[in-house]
Amino acid sequence: MTDVQPLSSALQPSPAARLSPEDLGEAIKNVLATRIRVAPDRLPDSLTLEDLGLDSLLLAESLVALETRFGVVIDPLRFAERLTPGLPLGELVAELAGHIGAAR
């Protein structure tokens, strides 16, 4: 027997819909921190993706984790030209928060 969710649960707002923009940014940072195994409070916004060791594979895994956490689809091509090793974490979080927030 398959596990079928009632339609009412499918119509619930995404977890991102219940968060303020600031809390959404913190939640995104927490997901990223978990992926790179660092405490979120040790991730200042000024650190770059290169500083964090966030390579393309780890970034792709992080995007999948964010999709799962927030119930949205993130098109990596939307961010492809901006995802450079020198991109500051704060800018990445802001971009993702804008994308996830718009999807709610």
Side-chain angles (χ1 to χ4, degrees), residues 72-83:
V72 299
V73 175
I74 300 172
D75 179 7
L77 295 177
R78 179 174 187 254
F79 301 101
E81 64 185 45
R82 298 227 341 111
L83 293 176

Side-chain angles (χ1 to χ4, degrees), residues 5-38:
Q5 291 183 352
L7 181 59
S8 61
S9 69
L11 298 176
Q12 296 296 318
S14 76
R18 295 184 289 271
L19 297 174
S20 71
E22 295 80 22
D23 290 340
L24 180 57
E26 286 302 311
I28 291 168
K29 192 182 272 191
N30 287 338
V31 169
L32 294 172
T34 299
R35 301 301 306 164
I36 60 174
R37 298 183 176 135
V38 173

Side-chain angles (χ1 to χ4, degrees), residues 9-66:
S9 69
L11 298 176
Q12 296 296 318
S14 76
R18 295 184 289 271
L19 297 174
S20 71
E22 295 80 22
D23 290 340
L24 180 57
E26 286 302 311
I28 291 168
K29 192 182 272 191
N30 287 338
V31 169
L32 294 172
T34 299
R35 301 301 306 164
I36 60 174
R37 298 183 176 135
V38 173
D41 61 347
R42 299 201 54 184
L43 295 177
D45 289 343
S46 60
L47 285 178
T48 65
L49 301 185
E50 183 175 44
D51 294 337
L52 298 170
L54 205 61
D55 62 14
S56 59
L57 178 59
L58 194 51
L59 187 57
E61 291 173 353
S62 298
L63 293 179
V64 170
L66 289 168

